[in-house]
């Protein structure tokens, strides 16, 4: 679809809409405190009742996760809450300590020791394929990749695939703190070219990971009879309209998705 529009510009309500087919005001998931009710029919429930095995593997352990009600419809839900970042995100004391530590480092607490301890695309693919190969019935699997979410920190060689700057990692963390969530610092505009180079590297990493997943499905004789759907919950702004990140506007940069 060339003109696919997300129902909102940030993760939680958008995922609820993807799975229920309802707008946020209908499924009642509109703020970061809301929980998706199991009373709404969703894609996983519909397919499970028709004999499909259902599973979700989500690297976004704090929004597309158990705590927000997304286990409904999935017989297996891997939220990676056992990762270091997932554990720390649930402990108030650790968040306080990380906030203090971040004063002496480049980057906000989540970036310092949090969100990028989420599962990589490679890990998500590995776990999903392991689950798929353990059964024989038709399957419905949702994979949520987090590698393009700020702070964008792809593994090597992707981090420096399009930039030779040895400080690329720190610059990406700086951008997370100064531009994405708070009021943009005046220096953000000058950082955009470097950030886009890192972002391109992360896109290449995710592309390669998806290609590897499709290759595995083909080798297992599953690809010819499997529908593969690519989409996104939102886009990203890189200084467009003076805005960085997402969830701050409804411009096409953040709602026009694959």
């Amino acid at each position: 679809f060339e003109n696919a529009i997300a129902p909102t510009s940030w993760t939680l309500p958008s995922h609820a809409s993807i799975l229920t087919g309802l707008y946020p005001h209908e499924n009642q998931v509109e703020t970061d405190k809301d929980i998706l009710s199991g009373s709404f029919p969703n894609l996983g429930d519909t397919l499970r009742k028709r004999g499909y095995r259902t599973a979700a593997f989500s690297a976004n352990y704090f929004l597309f996760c158990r705590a927000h009600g997304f286990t409904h419809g999935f017989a297996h839900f891997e939220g990676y809450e056992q990762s270091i970042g997932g554990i720390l995100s649930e402990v108030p004391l650790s968040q306080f300590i990380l906030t203090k530590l971040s004063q002496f480092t480049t980057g906000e607490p989540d970036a310092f020791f949090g969100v990028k301890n989420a599962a990589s695309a490679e890990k998500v693919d590995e776990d999903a394929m392991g689950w798929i190969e353990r059964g024989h019935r038709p399957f419905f699997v949702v994979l949520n990749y987090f590698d393009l979410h700020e702070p964008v920190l792809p593994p090597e060689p992707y981090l420096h695939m399009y930039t030779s700057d040895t400080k690329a990692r720190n610059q990406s963390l700086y951008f997370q703190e100064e531009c994405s969530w708070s009021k943009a610092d005046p220096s953000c505009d000058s950082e955009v070219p470097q950030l886009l180079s890192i972002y391109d590297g992360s896109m290449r990493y995710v592309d390669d990971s998806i290609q590897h997943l499709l290759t595995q499905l083909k080798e297992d004789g599953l690809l010819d009879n499997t529908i593969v759907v690519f989409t996104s919950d939102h886009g990203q702004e890189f200084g467009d309209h003076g805005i960085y990140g997402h969830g701050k506007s409804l411009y096409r940069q953040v709602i026009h998705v694959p």
Side-chain angles (χ1 to χ4, degrees):
F1 298 91
E2 295 182 355
N3 196 33
I5 302 299
T8 182
S9 62
W10 66 288
T11 302
L12 183 57
S14 193
H15 274 81
S17 291
I18 288 172
L19 292 173
T20 64
L22 301 172
Y23 287 110
H25 73 275
E26 295 173 316
N27 60 41
Q28 300 170 19
V29 178
E30 300 182 87
T31 76
D32 59 4
K33 305 297 183 184
D34 293 332
I35 298 172
L36 180 63
S37 171
S39 64
F40 296 109
N42 64 54
L43 193 53
D45 277 328
T46 300
L47 291 171
R48 186 164 61 171
K49 290 174 182 177
R50 284 159 175 76
Y52 282 72
R53 296 186 297 136
T54 58
F57 297 83
S58 174
N60 190 327
Y61 54 71
F62 50 93
L63 287 178
F64 182 42
C65 61
R66 290 181 175 85
H68 283 288
F70 286 105
T71 56
H72 298 297
F74 296 108
H76 178 83
F77 192 98
E78 179 55 70
Y80 298 100
E81 294 93 343
Q82 73 274 22
S83 67
I84 295 174
I87 294 170
L88 292 179
S89 69
E90 299 297 321
V91 182
L93 178 59
S94 68
Q95 282 297 302
F96 173 78
I97 294 172
L98 290 175
T99 299
K100 294 299 182 183
L101 286 174
S102 68
Q103 297 175 3
F104 306 100
T105 64
T106 301
E108 60 152 36
D110 280 342
F112 177 70
F113 204 53
V115 295
K116 285 308 167 179
N117 280 290
S120 65
E122 183 179 3
K123 174 63 173 172
V124 170
D125 289 346
E126 178 185 342
D127 291 347
M129 281 305 307
W131 182 87
I132 289 171
E133 291 169 346
R134 286 196 294 271
H136 302 287
R137 289 187 289 119
F139 57 86
F140 169 62
V141 182
V142 174
L143 306 184
N144 179 290
Y145 300 116
F146 202 67
D147 309 85
L148 285 168
H149 195 287
E150 61 268 59
V152 182
L153 296 170
E156 294 290 7
Y158 299 93
L159 178 61
H160 289 97
M161 184 168 283
Y162 301 105
T163 177
S164 59
D165 195 328
T166 58
K167 297 181 179 179
R169 175 182 169 83
N170 282 345
Q171 287 178 308
S172 186
L173 292 174
Y174 161 82
F175 203 89
Q176 160 88 352
E177 180 182 19
E178 300 297 332
C179 307
S180 292
W181 300 120
S182 58
K183 184 177 180 180
D185 186 271
S187 65
C188 292
D189 286 347
S190 64
E191 300 292 332
V192 168
Q194 173 69 311
L195 182 72
L196 287 175
S197 295
I198 301 169
Y199 199 82
D200 287 344
S202 197
M203 280 197 291
R204 178 64 181 273
Y205 170 63
V206 174
D207 284 350
D208 287 352
S209 297
I210 292 173
Q211 180 60 60
H212 181 65
L213 176 72
L214 295 177
T215 298
Q216 285 186 291
L217 287 171
K218 185 175 182 179
E219 290 175 350
D220 287 350
L222 298 172
L223 192 58
D224 288 342
N225 195 33
T226 298
I227 296 172
V228 182
V229 179
F230 297 91
T231 189
S232 179
D233 51 346
H234 58 75
Q236 194 82 334
E237 292 191 80
F238 295 96
D240 312 274
H241 313 100
I243 300 171
Y244 300 88
H246 58 273
K248 302 176 182 179
S249 77
L250 293 175
Y251 289 112
R252 286 186 68 84
Q253 284 85 354
V254 283
I255 61 172
H256 186 201
V257 297

